[in-house]
Amino acid sequence: MTDVQLVWFKRDLRAVDHAALAAACNAGGPVLPLYIFEPEYWSLPEHSGRQFEFLLECLQDLDEALRARGSRLVIRVGQAAHIFAALHKTCGIAAIHCHEETGLQWTFDRDKAVRAWSLRAGVPVREHRQHGVTRGLKQRSGWNRQWESLMSAPRIAPPDAIPASIVPSDPWPNAEDLGLPVDLCPGRQQGGRKAALELLKSFLADRGRTYRKSMSSPQSAAETCSRLSPHLAFGTLSVREAYQSAVGARRKRKAAGDEAFAASIDSFISRLHWHCHFIQKLESQTSIESRNLHSAYDELRDNPAADDPHFIAWATGQTGLPFVDACMRSLRETGWLNFRMRAMLMSFASYHLWMHWKRPAEHLAALFTDFEPGIHYAQAQMQSGTTGINTPRIYNPVKQSKDQDPNGAFIRQWIPELVRLGPDHIHAPWEAPSDVLLSAAVRLGETYPTPVVNHLEAARAARAQIHARRKDGAYRQEANAIQNRHGSRKSGIRHRGVRPKTTRGAPKGPEQLTLDFTQKSDRFSASN
């Protein structure tokens, strides 16, 4: 059999604007579209059944798109390097085409294992840029210009036909096959490209009109936010498609004199920039998922045990702080939460409960259908005050409740125990008079928990400990090095946390460098 051009799909589950698929089709010869279910990947604490079910729907849509072009999606289950070796032995692989992936340390190590096999086998792996993240980047100067250039370039048209390869597929596994526990998520979003396109269309046509002012409230945000995040995470829609569609919609709104809607679309476009900005951090330093970005915060907090009472209360929505609990319960049921409330949940775990960010971050990751490693772990550290370059922000959960849910409708939706409390008392029921609680059938400590901490006292103590670390003489030097490496260079975004003084040196950590699998390279290493 003629050697095949293999397309390795990872988190790029579409046929449109897909550089790897286009390159394989243009190379000549049969094309083998492949997806690998990796059991070790799905055993990581960040992954869950809700993500797996979303993935299956995405793969089904992808398979339909491939079949419409004369091909099909081939499935394998196991370790990637072993699967490539077996396929090369049976049908021959001329080249492996794939997109660059910025993922967890596990995926980075898996790609290194594939590289080692490819070098031995003499099979080139040709990576293509997936979105605005730059591989091998050392500092951020000019990053935004590169992002704009890539996002403004023409989208890659899907192939009209895909030369078929006669390679059988393994059966599609289910969640139980990969050892994933039952994960009921009744409000989970639908996966697949068709769902992504419908969301993009409805957002730019109508839903996004009040996006700018409605995104902060968990109740209004569920409707007015784009809800494209899981589709961008799994790649059913490319960032470039979303960007160019948004730019076109903004142009039409401005021409029609609809400045308010145009402003909301501007805010959405800005967040597409930030999407890649945060992923770039993990691309440049993989240790962000496991180690404090600034070493001053090492050994400041303990990582909670799985059975820690405070961790369990936080993770299950039983802290006694109604807005915190409502947000967590909503997330558990839907797989999604707006950005501000994600930040509050992480902040509450790190500051008020004084837990190291790692276990809470893993727990949230598994609940997010849209888990994106680069964004998630950069935000976990940012909201925990361990980056060294961001001003520590400690959310007041009662103030957030009154600001974002003034009438308590969101709280009542997710905490039926408090449904009879009025807006004057639902945000802080421990302050309500006993007769009010009695008439609302609320018995603190029985029907609904008393607060696990005094949130004002806990915030003061946390703030004092964080700021004490920032007074160390060596703090600024390391913080400036972090800023030089990871800070935004976008015009108008100020340098935060420390003075904008450039210093020599940078924090050490492995970097996900270019995987040029056609030859050995000293650039691919575990250090900078």
Side-chain angles (χ1 to χ4, degrees):
M1 180 178 179
T2 305
D3 286 352
V4 298
Q5 301 290 335
L6 190 149
V7 182
W8 182 14
F9 287 94
K10 300 179 187 177
R11 293 192 297 133
D12 50 352
L13 307 180
R14 61 186 185 276
V16 178
D17 203 22
H18 199 288
L21 179 61
C25 291
N26 291 335
V31 174
L32 170 58
L34 177 71
Y35 185 83
I36 304 172
F37 288 94
E38 300 165 284
E40 289 184 9
Y41 174 87
W42 287 102
S43 70
L44 298 175
E46 293 90 348
H47 298 143
S48 59
R50 62 188 60 191
Q51 298 163 0
F52 184 83
E53 297 301 327
F54 187 93
L55 167 70
L56 288 182
E57 292 162 358
C58 296
L59 291 175
Q60 289 162 3
D61 260 21
L62 174 60
D63 188 43
E64 289 178 13
L66 296 173
R67 288 176 183 273
R69 292 166 171 82
S71 184
R72 62 178 296 204
L73 186 64
V74 173
I75 297 298
R76 288 290 185 272
V77 178
Q79 294 182 5
H82 295 170
I83 286 167
F84 290 136
L87 286 171
H88 189 47
K89 183 177 181 179
T90 58
C91 63
I93 301 175
I96 297 172
H97 304 266
C98 60
H99 276 121
E100 295 171 348
E101 180 180 12
T102 302
L104 296 168
Q105 182 68 45
W106 189 93
T107 65
F108 179 37
D109 293 339
R110 173 253 276 148
D111 286 350
K112 289 196 293 184
V114 170
R115 174 186 184 266
W117 170 81
S118 72
L119 290 172
R120 294 193 302 269
V123 175
V125 174
R126 294 171 181 151
E127 284 193 308
H128 302 266
R129 199 171 176 183
Q130 166 82 317
H131 41 52
V133 173
T134 301
R135 184 147 284 184
L137 187 70
K138 295 300 181 184
Q139 52 84 32
R140 288 296 188 102
S141 296
W143 184 89
N144 194 58
R145 290 193 301 274
Q146 295 180 37
W147 190 96
E148 293 278 1
S149 176
L150 182 68
M151 293 301 144
S152 300
R155 286 174 278 185
I156 301 170
D160 293 327
I162 300 173
S165 62
I166 307 174
V167 176
S169 176
D170 287 347
W172 290 44
N174 56 38
E176 292 76 14
D177 294 332
L178 297 180
L180 287 165
V182 174
D183 182 22
L184 299 178
C185 187
R188 178 181 63 79
Q189 288 182 243
Q190 178 75 21
R193 182 168 173 81
K194 291 189 287 291
L197 294 175
E198 289 173 3
L199 285 171
L200 180 62
K201 180 180 178 181
S202 65
F203 176 72
L204 296 175
D206 181 56
R207 288 190 303 107
R209 177 174 294 280
T210 62
Y211 173 74
R212 173 170 282 188
K213 67 178 182 180
S214 301
M215 69 172 78
S216 293
S217 168
Q219 195 159 39
S220 58
E223 174 62 23
T224 60
C225 283
S226 75
R227 305 299 302 272
L228 289 171
S229 52
H231 296 283
L232 295 176
F234 283 86
T236 62
L237 186 76
S238 73
V239 176
R240 181 160 55 190
E241 288 181 280
Y243 172 78
Q244 293 185 5
S245 296
V247 169
R250 179 183 59 184
R251 187 183 305 116
K252 291 180 181 178
R253 295 297 176 184
K254 283 183 173 289
D258 193 345
E259 293 296 333
F261 205 159
S264 282
I265 296 174
D266 270 332
S267 293
F268 172 69
I269 291 173
S270 175
R271 276 151 183 78
L272 292 177
H273 281 261
W274 285 113
H275 172 275
C276 297
H277 165 80
F278 279 105
I279 298 175
Q280 183 72 61
K281 293 174 184 285
L282 185 62
E283 172 68 36
S284 297
Q285 189 173 346
T286 63
S287 62
I288 286 176
E289 75 168 84
S290 59
R291 193 170 70 234
N292 290 327
L293 196 55
H294 198 299
S295 64
Y297 301 106
D298 292 349
E299 300 179 0
L300 181 64
R301 305 174 174 110
D302 292 328
N303 200 29
D307 60 354
D308 181 282
H310 279 183
F311 175 76
I312 292 174
W314 173 83
T316 58
Q318 297 286 343
T319 67
L321 281 297
F323 198 50
V324 172
D325 293 343
C327 288
M328 183 63 80
R329 294 186 194 187
S330 172
L331 174 58
R332 287 164 63 92
E333 291 291 308
T334 68
W336 185 87
L337 192 65
N338 63 319
F339 171 78
R340 181 183 288 271
M341 300 303 92
R342 296 183 189 212
M344 183 190 70
L345 287 179
M346 195 69 236
S347 171
F348 188 82
S350 297
Y351 291 121
H352 297 86
L353 302 183
W354 204 242
M355 296 188 291
H356 190 283
W357 50 265
K358 180 59 174 173
R359 188 179 294 278
E362 291 173 346
H363 178 79
L364 289 176
L367 293 179
F368 292 147
T369 306
D370 60 6
F371 170 56
E372 174 61 67
I375 296 175
H376 181 68
Y377 276 111
Q379 281 295 320
Q381 292 220 40
M382 184 174 174
Q383 303 306 334
S384 301
T386 57
T387 67
I389 61 175
N390 301 101
T391 302
R393 183 176 186 184
I394 303 177
Y395 287 76
N396 181 323
V398 176
K399 182 181 185 301
Q400 288 297 313
S401 184
K402 292 177 178 179
D403 289 348
Q404 307 304 337
D405 187 29
N407 295 319
F410 182 75
I411 293 175
R412 292 187 194 90
Q413 179 182 357
W414 295 105
I415 307 182
E417 305 97 301
L418 304 179
V419 71
R420 293 171 61 183
L421 276 179
D424 291 339
H425 304 292
I426 197 167
H427 307 289
W430 59 91
E431 296 179 351
S434 57
D435 61 327
V436 171
L437 294 175
L438 182 63
S439 64
V442 175
R443 298 186 301 279
L444 294 179
E446 297 180 34
T447 62
Y448 183 69
T450 56
V452 293
V453 292
N454 180 310
H455 72 95
L456 295 176
E457 292 179 1
R460 280 193 293 269
R463 188 175 291 109
Q465 293 204 58
I466 289 290
H467 283 291
R469 297 291 175 120
R470 296 166 69 88
K471 294 179 180 179
D472 182 88
Y475 183 95
R476 189 178 302 282
Q477 182 177 2
E478 184 175 344
N480 282 329
I482 295 168
Q483 174 68 26
N484 187 53
R485 186 177 194 183
H486 294 297
S488 172
R489 302 295 191 273
K490 187 176 180 182
S491 177
I493 298 178
R494 67 184 179 89
H495 184 290
R496 297 192 292 176
V498 291
R499 294 175 184 172
K501 178 183 177 181
T502 302
T503 58
R504 299 171 68 180
K508 293 184 178 181
E511 181 173 2
Q512 301 192 36
L513 301 179
T514 301
L515 301 181
D516 180 2
F517 290 175
T518 60
Q519 57 184 354
K520 292 184 177 180
S521 172
D522 292 333
R523 295 179 62 228
F524 192 89
S525 64
S527 60
N528 297 321

